[in-house]
Amino acid sequence: MNFDFSDDQKMIKEQVRKFLADKCGYAVTRRVLEGKEPYSRDVWKGLVDMGLTGTAIPEEHGGLGLGALELCVIAEELGRVAAAVPFSSSVYLASEAINLFGTDAQKANWLPKLAAGEIIGTLAWAEGTHQPTARNIKTSFAGGKLNGEKLPVPDGSYADIAVVVVSAGGKGISLAIVDLREAGVTRETLTTVDIVRDHARLTFKDAPAELMSDQGNGEAQLARLLDGAAVFFAFEQVGGTEAAMNMARDYAMERFAFGRVIASYQAIKHKLADMYVKLELARSNAYFGAMQLNDQSAELPEAAATARIAATDAYCFAGQENVQVHGGIGYTWEADTQFHYRRSKLLSLTIGSPVNWKNKLVSCLEARNAA
Amino acid sequence: MDFNDTPEEAAYRAKVREWLAANAKPKSDANDNLRLAEVLKRSKAWQATKAEAGYACITWPKEWGGGGGSTIESVIFGQEESKYDAPAGVFAIGLGMCIPTVMAWGSEEHKKRFVKPAVRGDEIWCQLFSEPAGGSDVAGLRTRAEKDGDEWVINGQKVWTSGAHYCDYGIVVVRTDPNVPKHKGLTMFWVDMKSPGIEVRPIKQMSGDSNFNEVFFTDVRVNDDQRLGNVGDGWKVALTTLMNERLAVGGGMGGTSVKDLVEMARSTEMDGMPALQNGSVRERIADWYVQEQGLKLTRYRTLTALSKGQTPGPESSISKIVSAKKMQDLGAFAMDMQDIGGIIRDPEISAENASPQEMWFGAAGYRIAGGTDEILRNIVAERVLGMPGDIRVDKDVPFNQMPRGK
């Protein structure tokens, strides 16, 4: 039985944790919150300098050639500090998509730049206030030109390239790559619940683009991409849950009410115990997701959904109840509780809502039982 | 990451499999409703067979009749043994809690006298702690022992004693000094369950079943050399026992699994279509699957630490908090899916042989037994998260001056 990360992977985790503890405190993230920076540029530069943007990109394309497990430990640490960087968009989504489904030319062109942090990538999938499905995607690709509107697109205000989910003209969906710096692309920054993480509306008007694969294969490719991302995001959520739980615990140990520390009240202790229970369920399920992703297992869809559901439940609970434990001070702008309150909601929806992932999980269980 | 055995573990598993194939009986439905005498006979025979081969109490030293092995070997044996008809339930409390207490606190003479016969299954032990007035607050117990020469005279009542009606011996914690605060006036003894003055009565549970006993002590005389630990140290001794309890109780209770629930939802009609197509049914199936899978994988994390020779983290403390409530909710929901028919508790008529109904009843007790949901949350908060204990208003009050309810 070896259901744990290796010593090397734990070492990477420790390095990232130290770097972020040093350079990415809440005061740094607050500068983004208060509109002084679009994202934490120094933190991003530090991550790039450590080579982390190229973690899972093959060496032949300028990456470190490591795997999913290494990305998972990095994700947990980024989630712990609720970092304001475009790592998830550029690494779990754009780089992974190109590495998995890009043509040789596309890989050679884009992966070295993504690995080196010269450019930031993202995934443009949703088209408004409803679940995007293969049937309702309207953004179209024809004759090398992209037309339509995508929102919300993570890091869309400054990303250099996007993998775009496009309608394949009555044959489902496809993935296309567009250079967002070219003509035909307009961007508008959106107001969202987690303004620490930029989201934008992208409008394409005959924007030059390239398909990543044969038309119509997109649905399975997108599903595979999102399964992987679900695992990486689950680790961010696990890190965030632990941080929110510790923030609540530390505050409860200092705050006095009715003549004693509030941490001595069972109403508070049981809330914290519930956070711990959800955290450990989420961690165990996230580990299994990581294992299936790394092994390229056929069980990945089920494991990824399970990881995502558990992690979403844990982080949303901890994000909310952390504010509650703090009481009035936790509801103020000055308090750092808001970072996890905001981030937990964003991550619960960013690649599809809990309801939809639960539905998907049960479909996997149905298929397995039937087999 | 992988779930594979190390080469040493694989070799041990192969050895265990070979031995079980030669010595254990295959599972059989015919054994479901055996009479108690037959269960005891088979259990004792199997325990003796294991002890002979060093597979009983695998982690205990060989000098005490154990196997001198590691925890991971014990886990591997348990995994393989569970594939056979290998009854071990009647020994769980004795070997899981009582004998470790005897080994920690008994005299050399006690250990020589009791450990090996218990390991071999010749003698069965029970644990006499809970009382009507002391459950979660077990130190509030009232059963008293008064010194009379070299003997102590015990009077009082214990409850929820599993197996008291067939046990040979028990460990009992009693109040020997009511004039000091509650934790300081307790003492632990071992007792012969056949002693004059001990009366065992079954408790009828709210489900109508009887799986536990209450045990009445009327002028039961025990010798002072039956004492485990010093006079007044009973609480310290009891903690040895209770530390082992959560390990023994935490294993879960079976019943309808999420996989079974999926099949039930597929074949049960709800609002004119299979219940499995109903969104709220799907959402709840997903939630329970995530919990079930999360608990299994959390055990794997614990096993990983053991396999590497490390001390496991505190993650296994979540097990009963999650599994007991899930059992109750899942049972209740499986009943809901059958609409008004869900009230029928008859294995001949009810879906899943009435397993949901039994789970729903059983879970009400499981959420209380071996640490209530609330006590277990206190333990996580205090021992895992380092939060302070409750303020104890009875801490410095002599027991006989403590306020008490009816």
Side-chain angles (χ1 to χ4, degrees), chain A residues 16 19-20 23-24 28-29 32-33 37-48 52-53 74-75 77-79 81-92 120-122 154-155 158 194-199 233 236 343 346-347:
Chain A
V16 177
F19 168 78
L20 292 171
K23 302 285 187 205
C24 191
V28 171
T29 305
V32 179
L33 176 76
E37 292 176 47
Y39 60 93
S40 297
R41 290 189 195 279
D42 292 346
V43 177
W44 177 246
K45 185 173 182 307
L47 297 171
V48 168
L52 302 183
T53 37
I74 296 166
E77 296 312 316
L78 290 168
V81 296
V85 290
F87 197 86
S88 51
S89 303
S90 201
V91 177
Y92 320 154
I120 290 169
T122 189
D155 303 297
Y158 45 75
D194 189 8
I195 46 181
V196 164
R197 296 282 299 111
D198 175 80
H199 284 77
F233 278 119
E236 286 201 7
R343 184 63 56 87
L346 167 64
L347 293 190

Side-chain angles (χ1 to χ4, degrees), chain B residues 64-115:
Chain B
W64 297 117
S70 65
T71 310
I72 197 76
E73 286 176 347
S74 171
V75 169
I76 289 170
F77 185 87
Q79 289 169 345
E80 297 301 325
E81 185 188 27
S82 69
K83 297 171 187 166
Y84 289 87
D85 177 28
V90 299
F91 306 111
I93 286 172
L95 297 176
M97 295 188 258
C98 303
I99 297 297
T101 309
V102 171
M103 287 167 86
W105 297 95
S107 64
E108 284 307 305
E109 223 167 291
H110 290 149
K111 290 193 242 179
K112 280 195 183 118
R113 164 64 189 83
F114 290 122
V115 178

Side-chain angles (χ1 to χ4, degrees), chain A residues 1 269 274 284 302 359, chain B residues 4 282 289 298 377-378 382:
Chain A
M1 183 68 66
K269 285 159 76 170
D274 285 338
S284 299
E302 187 179 312
N359 195 29
Chain B
N4 303 333
R282 293 175 80 81
Y289 180 78
T298 300
R377 283 182 167 82
N378 284 353
E382 291 169 25

Side-chain angles (χ1 to χ4, degrees), chain A residues 1-4 249 253 260 266 269-270 274 277 280 283-285 302 310 358-359 362-363 366 369, chain B residues 1-2 4 263 266 282-283 287 289-290 298 301 304 322 374 377-378 382 385-386 388 390-391:
Chain A
M1 183 68 66
N2 180 25
F3 189 46
D4 197 2
R249 192 261 324 264
M253 300 282 273
R260 52 169 160 148
Q266 291 195 354
K269 285 159 76 170
H270 290 187
D274 285 338
V277 167
E280 293 305 319
R283 182 178 290 285
S284 299
N285 281 314
E302 187 179 312
K358 286 177 184 179
N359 195 29
V362 177
S363 298
E366 282 180 82
N369 271 20
Chain B
M1 284 189 184
D2 61 68
N4 303 333
E263 285 319 298
R266 201 197 295 274
R282 293 175 80 81
E283 183 159 14
D287 286 336
Y289 180 78
V290 166
T298 300
R301 286 169 56 204
T304 298
V322 177
E374 293 74 19
R377 283 182 167 82
N378 284 353
E382 291 169 25
L385 302 177
D390 263 85
I391 289 175

